[in-house]
Amino acid sequence: MNPLQSTFVAPHIDWAALAPIVIVFAAAVASVLVEAFVPRAHRRLAQVGLSVVAMGAALVAVVWRWTEVSIQGPQELVAGAIHEDPAGLFGQGLVLVMSFLALLILADKVGGEDFFAPTAAAIPGSQYEEQARRAGLVQTEVYPLTLFAVLGLMVFTVAADLLTMFIALEVLSLPLYLLSGLARRRRLVSQEASLKYFLLGAFSSAFFLMGLALLYGYSGSIRLSEIATAVPQMVGMDGLLLAGSVLVLIGLLFKVAAVPFHSWTPDVYQGAPTPITGFMAAGVKIAAFGAILRFVYVVTPGIQWDLAPFLWTIAILTMIVGTVLALVQTDMKRILAYSAIAHAGFVLLGVISLEQSGIGAVLFYLLAYGLATVGAFGLVAMVRNRNADGTVTSEAGHLSQWAGLGRRSPLLALAMTLFLLSFAGIPLTSGFIGKFTVFSSAIDGGAWPLVVVAIIASAASAFFYIRIIVLMFFTEPAGEHTTVVAPEGMAQVAIAVCAIGTVALGIVPQGVLDLTAQASKFLL
């Protein structure tokens, strides 16, 4: 044999099985070409149409692959880098549903203007920025960025080795760093949020890479299944395994805003364009928890008692810190940010349970939370400040500005009330069913002390949700400086779907619970 001859064997790639990912990737590339070649006057319409069609087609492809896996069973793809299994496909479906709804809000216009700066390169407050605004320029680059972020989210949920997981993590993160800094109003706050997100995100990526290196040194492989196989065979190297697992989990827990890796969350949620905040709060949390579930359930069962103190501490801190700090906030987006932190703690209960029912419970909770989150941030984007001359400006973020909103816009206030009650876990909403399933799985896994903490935190969190409801319906408005600006229509459709889903999953959840039970399987 010629020593210079390569021994590399190209992996067999089942392109049909990769159809959902390929569709979104092709659309993202096509979206970049649209930016380059389609005239500016037609660019927004082309981008919206392409993005909507791509996400719809990818969702149809996910449903098709679900039926194929149900018949033929799960399989490895791309030499084991990706696993096509029920849990991964269900996670991809959730990502696409939430991304589709967030896209409808993102693509809409409120008061004749969109949510993004007319040109990202302009210095905030400069004459160039003002000229771009007067010329009616539209920042349509947000669509390819969003599609690439969705691509990363989809790969993240099905990644079966640490390197693929890291690449997906970066593919989803880099567009979000940019999108966070493109808010049309309060540009400096938005750019500050983007910079904080980037710096802390890069820091968390370093933790993940260090954990990857340690686990590779421990097992000689980056595949999750092979690392798990090495656990009972390696003697005297448990410290390396535990350190690597903790570092990888730190990198993943940053994405779900678990305490103490949460410091970026309130600033980024407040500064980013509101539709992007909703997209991040729902889509990123779904994909990140999908990756955490796969890592914990595949790699760590052999060291669950060693990891338990770390995961229990993180869950308790996340529930308590998120709830307590939400109680003292006066800005609506910051309240929802700390609420998201507390919810991450609740979801961690299903992860910690290490019961098969915990996988389905987490998936259902993420669906319920995602619907309420996208809907709530869509409503926040419609409540605006109004100057004395009647001109509408930035979003009305302070709680006092929401006083009496139920009289000005009863439908908006009613929808917001529904989403807040779901966050609080009130019966007949999807949030109640989500919390019930997660808490039940945690009890089955022996984590009942965590459930006690979670119930106390849930009861305390009801205060700040109900406070907003009281402000909207039972408090006199301080003045006429707040108004509700109706969008063109796409956002209203998305919010209506979120509201209907929140109620339907609270009243008749059994069909979806059966689906999540079927999805509670990882390919090992």
Side-chain angles (χ1 to χ4, degrees), residues 282-312:
V284 174
K285 202 174 291 290
I286 289 169
F289 267 115
I292 291 172
L293 279 172
R294 189 177 296 275
F295 183 82
V296 170
Y297 275 72
V298 174
V299 174
T300 67
I303 55 169
Q304 58 177 308
W305 297 111
D306 298 304
L307 271 181
F310 171 73
L311 290 176
W312 280 48

Side-chain angles (χ1 to χ4, degrees), residues 139-440:
Q139 191 80 37
T140 50
E141 289 87 346
V142 298
Y143 297 101
L145 288 172
T146 302
L147 285 171
F148 277 113
V150 173
L151 172 67
L153 294 174
M154 293 181 66
V155 176
F156 208 35
T157 61
V158 294
D161 70 50
L162 293 174
L163 188 58
T164 303
M165 198 176 287
F166 175 74
I167 292 171
L169 177 67
E170 296 305 302
V171 170
L172 74 90
S173 297
L174 293 175
L176 291 175
Y177 299 152
L178 293 172
L179 290 168
S180 299
L182 296 180
R184 190 177 190 90
R185 308 286 183 178
R186 304 177 69 185
R187 290 285 314 282
L188 289 176
V189 175
S190 181
Q191 291 182 355
E192 178 187 356
S194 176
L195 184 60
K196 287 181 178 178
Y197 194 19
F198 168 69
L199 292 175
L200 293 176
F203 195 53
S204 72
S205 295
F207 278 103
F208 187 97
L209 278 177
M210 188 63 193
L212 185 156
L214 293 179
L215 290 177
Y216 179 75
Y218 170 82
S219 64
S221 175
I222 56 174
R223 292 183 61 176
L224 300 184
S225 58
E226 293 180 1
I227 296 172
T229 302
V231 171
Q233 299 174 355
M234 304 296 292
V235 179
M237 298 180 65
D238 290 350
L240 197 62
L241 171 64
L242 185 61
S245 298
V246 168
L247 289 173
V248 167
L249 285 172
I250 287 174
L252 297 175
L253 289 169
F254 172 87
K255 286 300 177 186
V256 301
V259 176
F261 319 112
H262 69 292
S263 57
W264 61 275
T265 311
D267 292 334
V268 174
Y269 277 32
Q270 184 181 24
T274 303
I276 298 301
T277 304
F279 172 57
M280 286 193 298
V284 174
K285 202 174 291 290
I286 289 169
F289 267 115
I292 291 172
L293 279 172
R294 189 177 296 275
F295 183 82
V296 170
Y297 275 72
V298 174
V299 174
T300 67
I303 55 169
Q304 58 177 308
W305 297 111
D306 298 304
L307 271 181
F310 171 73
L311 290 176
W312 280 48
T313 302
I314 295 295
I316 291 171
L317 286 175
T318 303
M319 290 185 287
I320 293 176
V321 171
T323 301
V324 171
L325 292 183
L327 291 170
V328 298
Q329 301 301 313
T330 57
D331 183 88
M332 181 64 74
K333 290 174 77 173
R334 292 184 76 88
I335 289 175
L336 294 177
Y338 282 108
S339 168
I341 293 170
H343 282 286
F346 300 146
V347 179
L348 279 173
L349 268 64
V351 176
I352 292 170
S353 72
L354 279 177
E355 295 286 322
Q356 186 172 358
S357 61
I359 301 173
V362 167
L363 293 175
F364 186 93
Y365 197 111
L366 292 172
L367 172 60
Y369 168 80
L371 289 173
T373 298
V374 173
F377 279 108
L379 294 173
V380 169
M382 298 183 194
V383 183
R384 297 298 182 101
N385 291 309
R386 182 168 59 188
N387 293 332
D389 59 1
T391 57
V392 176
T393 58
S394 60
E395 294 162 2
H398 199 277
L399 277 184
S400 63
Q401 297 174 298
W402 285 64
L405 199 65
R407 301 178 186 178
R408 296 194 192 99
S409 182
L411 284 178
L412 183 147
L414 185 61
M416 192 66 178
T417 299
L418 176 62
F419 297 138
L420 293 174
L421 292 177
S422 181
F423 286 141
I426 303 301
L428 300 182
T429 65
S430 58
F432 171 77
I433 304 296
K435 286 186 177 180
F436 181 82
T437 55
V438 166
F439 294 173
S440 298

Side-chain angles (χ1 to χ4, degrees), residues 497-513:
V497 170
C498 291
I500 293 170
T502 299
V503 174
L505 291 176
I507 298 175
V508 284
Q510 194 56 50
V512 178
L513 288 173

